[in-house]
Amino acid sequence: MTEPLTDLELIQEFKNGNIDAFEILVARHQDGLINFFYHCCRDKQLAEDYTQEVFVRLTLFLDRYVPRAKFSTYLYKIARNMWIDKLRSEKSHPRPVSLESPVHGGEGSLRDVVQGKGDAPVDIISRREVDETLSKVIDELPEELRMVLILSELHGMKYREIAEILDVPIGTVKSRMHTAVDLLKKKLTDRNMDEEEE
Amino acid sequence: MRCEKNYDIVSYLKEELEAEQREEIRLHIESCSSCRKELDRINALLRVVGRMKHVDSAPEFHERVRMVFAREHPDFLRRVGGRRGRAGGERLGWWRRIVLDIKEQFRYVPAWAISGCFHVVAIAVIALILSNVLTTDVKKREQGRGGVASVMPTPDTSGRALTPAWVRRNEDETALLLKSSDPEVRRSAVIILGEAGTESALRHIRQMLDDPDDRVSSAAKGVLDRLGTK
């Protein structure tokens, strides 16, 4: 079967003045970018605004784009740089999280997930509540660790792609990912112990 | 008891290790309950992270991007070589749009099928052109070699066509007309050959004295009389 229109073909069309090609590019990548920003800022409206801005920035930087890496990698690089800019201008302060947040009608908790208890925690816990709790814990991670975790786990990117987006060696990505998971476990456990003492 | 090996289980789960290293960890996990437990724990955590809430874009998001784009960069289309868009995003280049739409429609059609179709059409067009050229060429050659129309004098060119020089140059072709089944053609040929006045022309004309049609034999006799020879 033929390959779908590649991003590069669409970019060329766009450079030739075809705005329809731009719209196809937007349609192809908008959901990924919105989710990237959503997991950065936890605000869907803001995530959409940031995504719009990425596409506008893309039109400005398109002449500089050299197709060495995947186009999506280039796009996420713009997104990541933009997010860093936003962070510098407005710092967010995540609220504390409780590991005892009830999940699945009180049958399990995020602590169970962290401690590896239960048969299949992911299958039994309430998605919405775990999302809320876990989101807050992830938000507390240092930015460079959080970014690796989001790109790896929520966007399914390989270490190589993440390294290109963040402009760091693959070894650094690997080490950040390892640290992020360790820290995530530690934070969840610490919170659990704090709440048990209370 | 905690294992002292301290393997990179995260990279193992993410399949980001070399085959050899991966195999080493796999074998170790089979025999180490501590690492197996750690693997289950990390796996569960990553699965939960990976299955966190996914948001969908608003239905009007696409339109909003287009409007923001047009508002922020009204000169962009001119810069990239297209026509300038108005606010709201003018759709440019209908031909490009058609091409793009077609490509999108056929994006899952095998490349060899599309390529094959183009080749068949191209061959058909070339064959058609060649056939036309050859037909025209054959017609021209036929006219040049003995077509009656090319030899017979036409009313508007008779002054030039019946000059002795022309007939002498075309004597053989003209002589062929003496074998025509049409007596009028044979008679005309006799008269034309008479204009040439060469020995071979006279020889042809003499043969026509025995023509069964009186008009032809009379014409031959008249020409020979005019030239003073029989």
Side-chain angles (χ1 to χ4, degrees):
Chain A
M1 303 298 278
T2 52
E3 292 293 316
L5 279 179
T6 65
D7 287 344
L8 283 180
E9 285 176 314
L10 290 171
I11 288 167
Q12 197 50 53
E13 282 287 324
F14 181 43
K15 280 182 175 177
N16 291 337
N18 189 340
I19 200 167
D20 294 318
F22 175 66
E23 291 185 7
I24 293 174
L25 277 174
V26 171
R28 194 173 282 182
H29 295 285
Q30 65 183 35
D31 281 350
L33 285 173
I34 288 172
N35 276 281
F36 169 78
F37 284 118
Y38 175 76
H39 290 295
C40 285
C41 69
R42 308 291 176 206
D43 184 326
K44 188 185 169 190
Q45 186 55 54
L46 215 51
E48 289 192 352
D49 291 346
Y50 291 160
T51 302
Q52 275 180 24
E53 208 172 321
V54 167
F55 285 120
V56 172
R57 284 194 188 190
L58 170 70
T59 62
L60 291 175
F61 303 144
L62 204 57
D63 290 339
R64 298 184 207 166
Y65 172 60
V66 182
R68 280 180 307 205
K70 278 169 64 180
F71 175 71
S72 59
T73 305
Y74 176 68
L75 208 55
Y76 278 90
K77 199 165 187 169
I78 295 177
R80 179 255 179 182
N81 289 338
M82 212 181 82
W83 173 243
I84 297 294
D85 289 346
K86 299 287 179 193
L87 277 186
R88 282 175 187 154
S89 58
E90 45 182 301
K91 288 274 183 189
S92 59
H93 302 285
R95 288 171 293 172
V97 62
S98 168
L99 277 183
E100 293 304 324
S101 300
V103 292
H104 195 62
E107 290 176 19
S109 70
L110 194 56
R111 181 175 53 184
D112 295 335
V113 175
V114 177
Q115 294 179 346
K117 292 179 182 173
D119 294 332
V122 178
D123 296 334
I124 62 167
I125 53 181
S126 158
R127 178 78 51 81
R128 184 177 59 81
E129 286 164 344
V130 167
D131 276 356
E132 286 176 8
T133 308
L134 195 59
S135 297
K136 288 168 186 170
V137 177
I138 291 173
D139 287 346
E140 290 179 357
L141 292 175
E143 189 57 33
E144 69 271 17
L145 303 184
R146 195 156 70 103
M147 195 64 72
V148 171
L149 194 68
I150 288 172
L151 291 174
S152 172
E153 297 312 302
L154 294 164
H155 294 269
M157 289 187 183
K158 303 296 285 181
Y159 286 173
R160 182 181 48 76
E161 290 174 272
I162 299 172
E164 283 178 20
I165 291 170
L166 303 183
D167 217 6
V168 295
I170 292 179
T172 305
V173 174
K174 192 183 283 189
S175 130
R176 282 183 187 177
M177 183 67 187
H178 195 273
T179 310
V181 172
D182 278 352
L183 210 54
L184 201 58
K185 284 192 300 180
K186 184 172 184 301
K187 276 180 176 291
L188 292 170
T189 309
D190 286 350
R191 283 180 180 280
N192 178 42
M193 287 172 69
D194 288 347
E195 289 183 5
E196 277 181 350
E197 282 174 9
E198 287 171 10
Chain B
M1 198 174 74
R2 191 174 175 83
C3 179
E4 293 178 351
K5 285 283 187 182
N6 201 21
Y7 281 122
D8 184 358
I9 292 180
V10 177
S11 296
Y12 173 78
L13 281 169
K14 299 292 296 172
E15 298 184 352
E16 293 277 2
L17 296 175
E18 297 295 327
E20 193 180 335
Q21 207 175 356
R22 184 175 164 73
E23 183 61 13
E24 184 185 337
I25 295 179
R26 190 186 68 77
L27 290 172
H28 173 75
I29 286 172
E30 279 180 3
S31 60
C32 176
S33 61
S34 171
C35 284
R36 201 161 50 242
K37 192 175 176 186
E38 178 70 358
L39 181 136
D40 289 342
R41 196 175 297 159
I42 294 173
N43 197 21
L45 184 61
L46 291 181
R47 279 172 65 195
V48 175
V49 172
R51 291 171 66 175
M52 282 172 68
K53 185 180 174 186
H54 180 90
V55 291
D56 295 320
S57 53
E60 69 279 7
F61 176 78
H62 203 85
E63 188 64 25
R64 272 170 46 205
V65 170
R66 191 138 54 90
M67 291 182 72
V68 169
F69 169 74
R71 190 189 64 217
E72 297 289 324
H73 304 287
D75 61 333
F76 175 77
L77 296 172
R78 184 160 44 83
R79 185 167 63 81
V80 297
R83 289 198 298 272
R84 185 172 182 152
R86 56 172 184 257
E90 185 182 27
R91 289 169 183 271
L92 300 180
W94 58 269
W95 64 95
R96 286 189 175 280
R97 198 170 169 213
I98 289 171
V99 169
L100 209 63
D101 284 347
I102 291 172
K103 284 171 90 175
E104 277 293 298
Q105 290 295 324
F106 289 94
R107 61 197 291 179
Y108 295 115
V109 174
W112 60 262
I114 294 175
S115 169
C117 284
F118 275 114
H119 279 90
V120 167
V121 170
I123 289 169
V125 169
I126 290 169
L128 199 65
I129 292 169
L130 282 177
S131 148
N132 254 341
V133 168
L134 288 175
T135 308
T136 310
D137 192 43
V138 166
K139 280 181 183 170
K140 281 182 180 172
R141 285 167 61 192
E142 188 185 334
Q143 283 177 352
R145 288 205 175 201
V148 172
S150 69
V151 177
M152 286 296 290
T154 52
D156 57 326
T157 58
S158 56
R160 280 181 298 162
L162 288 177
T163 59
W166 183 90
V167 177
R168 278 196 288 273
R169 282 199 304 273
N170 299 279
E171 198 173 295
D172 290 340
E173 285 83 356
T174 310
L176 287 174
L177 294 176
L178 295 174
K179 295 173 182 174
S180 170
S181 58
D182 186 345
E184 276 303 317
V185 172
R186 294 201 299 276
R187 192 180 74 84
S188 297
V190 166
I191 294 168
I192 291 167
L193 284 168
E195 293 294 326
T198 60
E199 275 302 317
S200 59
L202 291 174
R203 204 164 46 245
H204 287 304
I205 294 170
R206 278 192 205 102
Q207 290 172 359
M208 301 311 285
L209 288 170
D210 299 323
D211 192 282
D213 192 288
D214 286 341
R215 285 170 294 177
V216 180
S217 56
S218 299
K221 186 173 179 294
V223 168
L224 292 171
D225 285 344
R226 184 165 54 83
L227 294 173
T229 176
K230 282 197 179 175

